[in-house]
Amino acid sequence: MNPSIAQRLNGLNPRQQEAVRYIDGPCLVLAGAGSGKTSVITTKIAYLVQECGMSARKIAAVTFTNKAAREMKERVGQMLKGKEGHGLTVSTFHTLGLNIIRGELKALGYKPGFSLFDPEDAKALLRDLMNKDAQVDAEQINAVQHQISQWKNDLVLPGDALSFAADDNEHFAARVYEAYVRHLKAYNAVDFDDLILLPVVLLQRDPEALARWQRKIHYMLVDEYQDTNVSQYLLVKLLMTERATFTVVGDDDQSIYAWRGARPENLITLGDDFPRLKVIKLEQNYRSTGTILRSANTLIANNPHVYEKTLWSEMGDGAPIRVIVNRHEEAEAERVASEIFTRRIKERAEWRDFAVLYRGNFQARLLELKLQHYQIPYKLSGGKSFFSRNEVKDAMAYLRLLINPADDNAFLRIVNVPRREIGPGTLEKLANYATERSISLFAACHELGLEQQLPTRAVERLGRFTHFIDGVRKRMDQDDAIAAIRDMLRDMDYEAWLYQNASAPTIAERRMANVWILIDQLEKSLNRDPEDGTPSTETETDGVEAAISRLVLRDILEQQAEEDDSDRVQLLTMHASKGLEFPHVYLMGLEEDLLPHRNAVEVGTVEEERRLAYVGITRARRTLTLTLARQRKAYGELLDCTPSRFLDELPADDLEWEGRADKENPEKKQARGKDALAGIRSLLG
């Protein structure tokens, strides 16, 4: 039987209950690591609907990742049955922004069917725009893209960017920004940052649109509030200014994304903008032992706080935190791998119970070799999805255009791949013409009127491209569709294009192999019914369209896939570990210049590095091991390493040192030696 809301509330602690029941004004829930914040948010949604009689369609809950939004939606779905949950919004900030844009197309000046540029699409447009002035490298393009993203997150519009530019590089970026936004608008496209920027600018400037959305959303719940940037903060403020009925949940001690615009100070600004703000602290931790929490509390106390909080647990003290000093980085990786191997057998643990966290991805390289040596299965988080590779996205764009010539985003991605000398100026004029005629870019290329807008050579180049695609589509209708697609890739010499743009021939070879893998998958999908594996009964053309659609859907689903739960050791950066927990955690590289990172020390952002270490420590449930090396290789030479300042900030009585004579307990060292021998005997036995 489904528990009632009263039963669910009884399962919460007093502070959690208070956070759920407070609905009369603005509420900030300061939720420490492992304190059950998701339970508070999901139970509060059910409470608003079932106890307070609020319509679910008037409630919006927002967070930062698709995974978090899906988990929240699933948990709320178990509480709200039947029609109770109809119309409820549980989404990411960007999806909420996308919904506002879709509802306000006319006010924003966009046509239906607008395109969303992902970061790679945006980078390709920037490359074209920047190459008009001079040859630019990938680093310059990335720097300009990052600067434009920062300006958009800070609500700096193209016309104002020049006045914010601090040097020549930023002046250049400001000029590119103006052209970039103009081209996006001409293409009837928006980028990822626009999903927040455009709704905020609209709601600031258009009182009628603001009133419409304030009527739609009566109550807001925001998760991970410490990660909001300027524009996200303003979106919440604009929607909630009239009613001030919202709950935001956050933890300033876990704000680790300043490099992508997060402002932990938004927690302070909230109190200034909403003086009636009620602050409720969740300090009981349901994840970690007392020793782990004591270390986390002592470490983070070195950062300044507006709201003080102290995590505590009913789980007992547990094992001490081990600090292992190794000769060098190879010995460090060897120690971690060999120890996971023996502990798994000795403690009858699963591989998935162990996680190794580090500051930078490069630290995983040696560790991977050691894990392979011990034949330990592992998962390296942050690996690139097959569908996110540029060559696969190019091929997918060709396939999408073949089955839907009205797909403007696909057209823009591949009209100049391989290079056909069709520049951004030509495409901007083409896009403006297509907008005036209310037709797709592909269709506009076939119109005689285009000759009045573009030079003859530009019209001819566009005509050659569309004629080429029309020919492939015709052959697909009349002949073997897969053979037509394979011939298309050969005829346009896509492989030569990859070789021209790759840093090494082996990379180009691997990329072309990925394209053929995609086409092989398409052929398998075409020849077999996806449900039962029997031969497909669809006609060739219908079949290939359905097969390509299935590949597009698989692309979307792969990007939203659940975390892999197979039995493997987890390797991930501390940034990627946020929101996760593991029974046994190893934190590698507790050295100055690594954690805290050298850049952070130089620019004075050590507080964020301390929060990063705090996040790493609070991932551990039962045991925590910190490792460091006396020497580490850099630029081909061994450099001496200094232990991280954060080790001195941990409570000395809770640490058990190994490999450092001045800190080590001789009796424990002897006991460890006996223990290791016993472990070897049991393995050999």
Side-chain angles (χ1 to χ4, degrees):
M1 192 174 119
N2 199 35
S4 67
I5 193 68
Q7 288 170 315
R8 290 187 186 280
L9 279 168
N10 286 337
L12 301 179
N13 67 42
R15 293 286 75 75
Q16 290 173 327
Q17 290 177 14
E18 183 186 5
V20 169
R21 287 195 171 107
Y22 184 76
I23 60 164
D24 297 326
C27 180
L28 165 60
V29 180
L30 270 181
S35 62
K37 68 182 174 66
T38 308
S39 294
V40 167
I41 295 172
T42 52
T43 307
K44 189 156 193 170
I45 294 170
Y47 182 80
L48 287 165
V49 173
Q50 294 172 341
E51 287 291 306
C52 308
M54 188 177 286
S55 166
R57 68 181 64 255
K58 300 287 187 185
I59 301 170
V62 291
T63 185
F64 281 84
T65 66
N66 286 326
K67 182 174 180 285
R70 275 198 317 280
E71 285 175 0
M72 204 184 289
K73 198 176 286 186
E74 284 165 13
R75 287 172 72 164
V76 174
Q78 291 164 7
M79 300 184 205
L80 299 180
K81 296 300 177 184
K83 293 183 179 177
E84 278 185 329
H86 279 196
L88 173 71
T89 297
V90 180
S91 71
T92 63
F93 262 106
H94 290 90
T95 303
L96 176 64
L98 184 61
N99 291 340
I100 294 174
I101 292 170
R102 281 181 179 143
E104 302 291 343
L105 282 178
K106 194 174 176 187
L108 287 164
Y110 286 87
K111 294 182 296 183
F114 65 91
S115 297
L116 174 59
F117 271 38
D118 69 16
E120 287 302 322
D121 296 327
K123 193 171 286 179
L125 173 56
L126 287 170
R127 185 184 300 112
D128 286 344
L129 292 170
M130 291 167 70
N131 273 325
K132 279 167 63 178
D133 297 330
Q135 277 300 111
V136 293
D137 59 29
E139 202 172 310
Q140 289 170 289
I141 295 165
N142 289 339
V144 169
Q145 187 172 27
H146 179 70
Q147 182 61 66
I148 290 173
S149 179
Q150 270 192 322
W151 277 328
K152 287 192 174 190
N153 289 334
D154 290 342
L155 291 176
V156 176
L157 299 177
D160 305 321
L162 266 174
S163 60
F164 283 87
D167 54 34
D168 289 346
N169 288 336
E170 289 188 13
H171 270 89
F172 175 65
R175 290 197 302 275
V176 175
Y177 183 20
E178 203 153 3
Y180 171 71
V181 169
R182 198 178 69 243
H183 278 76
L184 276 182
K185 193 69 190 282
Y187 296 164
N188 195 39
V190 297
D191 67 15
F192 198 61
D193 297 313
D194 286 331
L195 298 181
I196 309 294
L197 173 76
L198 292 175
V200 169
V201 171
L202 174 73
L203 298 180
Q204 283 178 324
R205 294 177 177 176
D206 188 334
E208 289 181 14
L210 178 61
R212 271 195 299 276
W213 285 92
Q214 285 177 339
R215 283 195 298 272
K216 282 176 190 276
I217 301 174
H218 287 192
Y219 202 98
M220 272 190 94
L221 302 101
V222 185
D223 191 17
E224 304 287 9
Y225 195 70
Q226 75 282 347
D227 293 338
T228 53
N229 58 33
V230 171
S231 55
Q232 288 159 341
Y233 177 86
L234 269 173
L235 183 61
V236 175
K237 183 184 170 185
L238 286 161
L239 292 169
M240 291 291 104
T241 293
E242 191 183 344
R243 286 189 179 81
T245 46
F246 62 80
T247 297
V248 302
V249 182
D251 180 6
D252 50 346
D253 291 333
Q254 293 188 76
S255 184
I256 56 173
Y257 297 116
W259 48 277
R260 66 182 190 204
R263 301 283 181 102
E265 55 268 32
N266 283 348
L267 292 166
I268 303 161
T269 311
L270 197 65
D272 298 334
D273 287 341
F274 297 91
R276 290 195 305 122
L277 183 71
K278 184 177 181 68
V279 179
I280 299 168
K281 299 177 187 177
L282 304 185
E283 296 172 294
Q284 183 175 357
N285 174 285
Y286 294 91
R287 176 188 297 160
S288 307
T289 64
T291 299
I292 290 167
L293 294 180
R294 196 158 47 243
S295 286
N297 288 331
T298 309
L299 174 74
I300 207 65
N302 289 280
N303 273 6
H305 288 83
V306 174
Y307 302 110
E308 298 290 341
K309 69 177 184 311
T310 304
L311 296 181
W312 59 276
S313 163
E314 293 180 339
M315 296 171 67
D317 268 5
I321 293 168
R322 294 183 310 139
V323 186
I324 301 173
V325 185
N326 302 276
R327 291 194 314 281
H328 43 63
E329 59 196 319
E330 189 168 345
E332 179 189 38
E334 170 70 30
R335 177 61 190 267
V336 171
S338 63
E339 195 169 282
I340 289 173
F341 182 77
T342 53
R343 283 183 71 184
R344 189 236 180 189
I345 296 166
K346 192 175 155 195
E347 298 173 27
R348 295 183 180 174
E350 304 282 342
W351 292 121
R352 66 165 71 86
D353 292 342
F354 297 91
V356 186
L357 313 183
Y358 33 78
R359 179 64 178 81
N361 276 311
F362 71 92
Q363 290 170 262
R365 290 175 201 152
L366 264 176
L367 183 60
E368 282 192 80
L369 295 173
K370 299 297 180 183
L371 292 172
Q372 288 165 11
H373 172 74
Y374 284 96
Q375 297 184 330
I376 296 173
Y378 63 90
K379 182 193 176 191
L380 187 65
S381 287
K384 209 171 187 185
S385 150
F386 178 72
F387 284 100
S388 70
R389 298 173 190 279
N390 268 334
E391 65 275 12
V392 175
K393 289 175 80 167
D394 287 344
M396 285 294 293
Y398 270 100
L399 296 177
R400 281 162 46 203
L401 197 64
L402 288 170
I403 65 166
N404 176 20
D407 189 331
D408 284 350
N409 204 12
F411 178 96
L412 287 167
R413 181 174 183 92
I414 46 111
V415 67
N416 214 26
V417 174
R419 201 153 194 80
R420 298 182 177 93
E421 296 184 5
I422 299 169
T426 297
L427 292 173
E428 185 181 12
K429 287 174 184 169
L430 172 68
N432 287 332
Y433 177 78
T435 301
E436 284 168 22
R437 301 275 295 120
S438 298
I439 55 176
S440 71
L441 298 174
F442 192 87
C445 294
H446 290 79
E447 295 219 339
L448 291 171
L450 191 61
E451 293 173 8
Q452 311 302 315
Q453 310 293 323
L454 287 170
T456 306
R457 286 177 68 190
V459 174
E460 284 172 359
R461 286 169 186 154
L462 288 167
R464 278 199 296 274
F465 172 68
T466 51
H467 179 72
F468 175 65
I469 296 295
D470 283 334
V472 179
R473 295 182 74 228
K474 190 174 180 182
R475 194 181 155 199
M476 283 171 67
D477 287 343
Q478 296 172 349
D479 201 352
D480 181 343
I482 297 295
I485 291 166
R486 289 186 191 278
D487 286 346
M488 172 189 74
L489 289 162
R490 292 189 188 99
D491 291 345
M492 67 188 186
D493 214 355
Y494 183 73
E495 189 167 6
W497 158 258
L498 288 177
Y499 274 93
Q500 283 168 24
N501 290 279
S503 54
T506 50
I507 292 172
E509 200 176 311
R510 193 161 61 242
R511 287 176 181 166
M512 195 63 216
N514 286 335
V515 173
W516 294 130
I517 288 168
L518 180 74
I519 306 307
D520 289 343
Q521 286 299 311
L522 176 63
E523 188 168 22
K524 285 175 188 168
S525 183
L526 175 64
N527 293 334
R528 294 274 158 190
D529 187 284
E531 298 299 323
D532 61 9
T534 57
S536 175
T537 55
E538 295 167 317
T539 65
E540 182 77 15
T541 307
D542 291 343
V544 81
E545 289 195 11
I548 292 169
S549 298
R550 283 196 291 271
L551 273 181
V552 172
L553 180 61
R554 194 191 303 176
D555 176 7
I556 294 164
L557 291 176
E558 184 164 315
Q559 289 173 25
Q560 297 179 346
E562 291 292 339
E563 290 300 305
D564 181 1
D565 64 350
S566 58
D567 190 21
R568 295 189 277 175
V569 173
Q570 303 293 305
L571 312 185
L572 62 173
T573 64
M574 281 177 241
H575 281 101
S577 73
K578 190 165 171 291
L580 304 176
E581 58 182 68
F582 308 93
H584 310 292
V585 168
Y586 288 81
L587 285 192
M588 289 178 72
L590 266 287
E591 301 145 29
E592 289 292 301
D593 292 346
L594 251 185
L595 187 70
H597 196 276
R598 183 193 296 114
N599 294 348
V601 175
E602 287 172 359
V603 299
T605 55
V606 171
E607 285 172 18
E608 174 140 342
E609 294 290 297
R610 189 175 285 111
R611 292 196 292 268
L612 192 56
Y614 174 86
V615 165
I617 288 169
T618 53
R619 299 312 94 198
R621 284 163 47 193
R622 285 168 42 203
T623 71
L624 176 65
T625 306
L626 313 176
T627 69
L628 61 152
R630 289 199 189 92
Q631 290 186 312
R632 203 171 281 276
K633 235 179 203 173
Y635 311 111
E637 59 175 317
L638 272 177
L639 301 178
D640 292 334
C641 304
T642 307
S644 169
R645 68 189 71 186
F646 299 150
L647 289 169
D648 293 330
E649 295 175 359
L650 299 176
D653 291 346
D654 288 333
L655 303 183
E656 192 177 277
W657 287 78
E658 183 182 334
R660 187 167 157 179
D662 60 325
K663 300 268 190 182
E664 203 164 352
N665 182 321
E667 290 173 13
K668 284 187 177 175
K669 184 177 182 180
Q670 197 174 10
R672 242 189 347 262
K674 288 179 182 174
D675 204 28
L677 279 171
I680 293 166
R681 283 198 192 100
S682 69
L683 284 172
L684 295 172

